[in-house]
Amino acid sequence: MTDLFPANNHICGTVKRVTFQSPESGFCVLQVEVDGRQALVTVVGTAPEINPGQWVEASGQWIQDPKFGRQLKADQLRLSKPTGVEGMRRYLGSGLVPGIGPGFAERLMDAFGTEVFDVIENHPDRLLEVDGIGKKRHQRILESWSDQNIVREIMVFLQGHGVSTNLAFRIFKQYGTESISKVMEDPYCLARDMRGVGFLSADRIAGNLGVTGEDPSRVAAGAEHMLQEISREGHTAYAREELQSRVKDLLEVGKPAVVLAMDAGLESGRLVLVEGTNLVALKAQHRAEQELALDLLRLAQGPLGELVKDPEKAVNWVEGETGLKLAEGQRQAVRQALSHRLLIITGGPGVGKTTLLNSILKIHRAKGRSVVACAPTGRAARRLSESTGLEASTIHRLLDFNPGTGGFRHDRSNPLTGQVFVVDEFSMVDAILAWQLVRALPENAMLLLVGDVDQLPSVGPGRVLADAIDSGLLPVARLDEVFRQAASSAIVTNAHRINRGDAPLSGARGSDSDLEDFYFIERDDPLAIADLVVELVSQRLPNKLGVDPIEDIQVLTPMKRGELGTINLNHRLQEVLNPEGTSVNRHGAVWRVGDKVMQTVNNYDKDVFNGDIGVVESVDAAGEELLVRFERESVDYDLRDLDELMHSYAVSVHKSQGSEFPVVVIPLHTQHYMLLQRNLLYTGVTRGRQLVVLVGSRRAVQVAVGRSDSHHRVTMLEGFLSSSCK
């Protein structure tokens, strides 16, 4: 058998099949056709996105896998252009070059033969001689071809310094032609600037470039990185000694080097020691919370001007206009709103936040004041529009992101236009975004912040709503009276039970005629829970309620990994709900027409934002495009950008914030132990509008309702509010 393989540890050939490729690690298993060899050669290694037809050079060690046989385990795997006719045809037709699919590959080969690569690179105008290639496709081909040439040059350099080919491609997307100089100047920029690149990866690359041990630049970057990591835990600052200890453990260096690096960071201003504390913060985070505190106090204590001369008379007027009798807590809140330029409105489900908000806005609009409404996500903004009749937008869209500067066009020097500003689902807003919004308000603006403080805090750092309320220095209306109509809902009742630390009560009474809106189905085995979730979504609930399993039912789970994580549940639900149709394989997943997907990051160029849910409308594998229909419009995705999307038959509870769904199914098990929190279960349950089905172990439910604050966040806003009042 050994004579079927090259004698040395280096091969070149054409990729015939991609048996497996991991989007997370870049690990791949390739079947490669090597000239002069009858059998395909199995190559395992790490590579960027790879397609059949590409020319590959691999170097490594031959191993005998007990299950898969002889294979080359490549420690260097380079992709390049093929030289033979068939290889060129496969390469061009693989979809690697946007604008060229199998059909156009045939036309190009017929027109130019083996000179086709020379034509594209040195005589590009000749491509217009080929039928079907117009100016737009021509430009697209040239741009992608140029990108690939540059990527290859970057890869040659970076691979020699320990950079994977997958990361090399992403570096090019981030920095363009400056990629090599950026990495040479500061390899730690990769960890700061690139999502998914950890400090350890950047540190390994830095080591290959000669930056090692207690090098001051390494330790300083490690300290900043650790604060960034800590911010991902929700903290905006951290105790100095604890931070030093975490940096020391991360870098495996002596404490004196860490102390010196942090002192240098404090002296340079990149790190800040919070006055009167032992807390250290990143400069940008410190500035955001400090200025936010001053702006909120300015609003709360600012002159009233011509708000409303007689709030009590206004309350009576709005009750007469709407025909609704407000509860005393709501009446008091209306009076507060008409007596302050800032009011925070909080409370759980069924307590009348929407009725209160509409009453306040009706008074302001009767006075001729312009109202601007916004929310953190697109879905939350649409809900706000439906409940108020206003045209609401996302906060990001309202502030108008400027891709040229990386900031927002509206700020203190270019404020927004309007008089009364409403922000719904404010519990989701992190410290940086809250600061960006409040500093962009015009002079004498009025601000209404609406949110449920008992829900999960923002995904980003901070606990702005909770800190603002806990300070006791800002006007707050906390509604706690559940109205009679809402009290008849088991969803509302159980949400308040969970918030009090009590286990929810199942609404199942054993009669088909007595369907309620909350059920707990007890299962202890994770596999049995997953099986039941799939059955509920695909069969039982649609058959019983007549709901659409994709449009109307949302599975919410605490975690990403495991049998009950989003990855596994999405795979299983896709196979049942959308098993067939035009599809493409990318990033270790199948993307199929009809798939339910979610945008996972803010993309200002595409005008889609984190949490937006859509459906795959079309897949063009040859043209390397995927079209997703969101509620507002359809959006094109290059298949290389699919890391911005995730399947969303099942999503995390965190990702569901700001949204409501007709039917919610929540699997819960003790394998989620570290994430089981009262506010997580409370948030998940309150996402359901018509029905919530909780499936899982009673022990997991007990753990969740019993843990109210095991993940305390270290933040500065409450302290800044207090100190600014002294």
Side-chain angles (χ1 to χ4, degrees), residues 539-549 552-553 663:
Q539 298 177 39
R540 290 170 60 173
L541 293 175
N543 293 340
K544 190 70 177 178
L545 304 176
V547 293
D548 185 287
D552 299 327
I553 303 176
V663 180

Side-chain angles (χ1 to χ4, degrees), residues 226-532:
M226 184 52 67
L227 273 176
Q228 291 285 1
E229 286 298 298
I230 287 169
S231 76
R232 293 187 178 94
E233 299 168 11
H235 308 295
T236 60
Y238 213 63
R240 186 173 186 172
E241 287 292 329
E242 292 180 38
L243 176 61
Q244 290 173 349
S245 178
R246 289 182 66 166
V247 174
K248 174 179 173 292
D249 292 342
L250 172 72
L251 302 181
E252 297 180 341
V253 297
K255 185 175 180 179
V258 177
V259 172
L260 287 174
M262 288 186 61
D263 286 345
L266 292 169
E267 187 175 342
S268 70
R270 298 184 72 171
L271 303 179
V272 180
L273 185 64
V274 184
E275 186 177 355
T277 74
N278 70 333
L279 299 177
V280 177
L282 292 168
K283 179 181 179 180
Q285 192 69 64
H286 182 272
R287 178 191 176 193
E289 287 192 285
Q290 189 173 53
E291 290 191 8
L292 176 60
L294 292 172
D295 287 339
L296 289 174
L297 287 170
R298 175 181 55 81
L299 280 166
Q301 300 170 358
L304 298 180
E306 294 296 323
L307 277 182
V308 173
K309 293 181 179 179
D310 189 344
E312 188 64 35
K313 182 178 178 180
V315 173
N316 295 330
W317 173 84
V318 80
E319 285 186 329
E321 287 292 307
T322 62
L324 297 174
K325 179 67 176 175
L326 299 177
E328 181 51 40
Q330 291 174 313
R331 290 176 62 88
Q332 176 59 27
V334 174
R335 289 191 287 266
Q336 283 181 282
L338 302 178
S339 305
H340 301 88
R341 293 197 175 276
L342 169 68
L343 178 65
I344 299 169
I345 300 171
T346 190
V351 297
K353 294 192 298 293
T354 299
T355 298
L356 169 61
L357 178 61
N358 281 328
S359 297
I360 295 170
L361 296 182
K362 190 172 186 65
I363 295 171
H364 281 306
R365 286 192 282 190
K367 293 289 184 179
R369 298 189 179 105
S370 60
V371 179
V372 179
C374 62
T377 67
R379 294 178 72 89
R382 284 185 285 277
R383 286 178 53 212
L384 181 58
S385 294
E386 292 166 1
S387 63
T388 63
L390 296 168
E391 184 179 346
S393 70
T394 64
I395 298 173
H396 296 87
R397 191 173 291 117
L398 177 66
L399 293 175
D400 194 6
F401 181 74
N402 183 348
T405 63
F408 294 105
R409 289 190 172 91
H410 289 292
D411 55 19
R412 217 176 290 281
S413 62
N414 180 32
L416 295 162
T417 300
Q419 294 173 293
V420 180
F421 291 81
V422 178
V423 189
D424 199 12
E425 296 288 354
F426 193 67
S427 63
M428 296 177 63
V429 180
D430 63 44
I432 293 288
L433 185 58
W435 167 62
Q436 297 279 15
L437 174 64
V438 174
R439 78 188 191 121
L441 296 179
E443 190 176 356
N444 298 325
M446 289 163 275
L447 179 61
L448 297 170
L449 303 176
V450 185
D452 186 345
V453 73
D454 296 315
Q455 286 187 22
L456 286 168
S458 58
V459 174
R463 53 191 301 271
V464 179
L465 181 60
D467 281 350
I469 292 173
D470 291 348
S471 72
L473 299 170
L474 304 175
V476 177
R478 181 185 273 276
L479 304 180
D480 53 17
E481 179 183 345
V482 179
F483 288 89
R484 183 178 302 173
Q485 183 177 359
S488 66
S489 164
I491 295 175
V492 172
T493 299
N494 280 320
H496 287 279
R497 284 183 61 85
I498 291 166
N499 208 23
R500 293 195 302 268
D502 298 326
L505 301 174
S506 177
R509 295 186 293 213
S511 170
D512 289 346
S513 62
D514 288 333
L515 287 175
E516 295 194 11
D517 59 4
F518 185 98
Y519 292 86
F520 172 46
I521 304 175
E522 189 170 356
R523 295 287 188 278
D524 289 322
D525 179 62
L527 181 58
I529 296 172
D531 289 342
L532 182 54

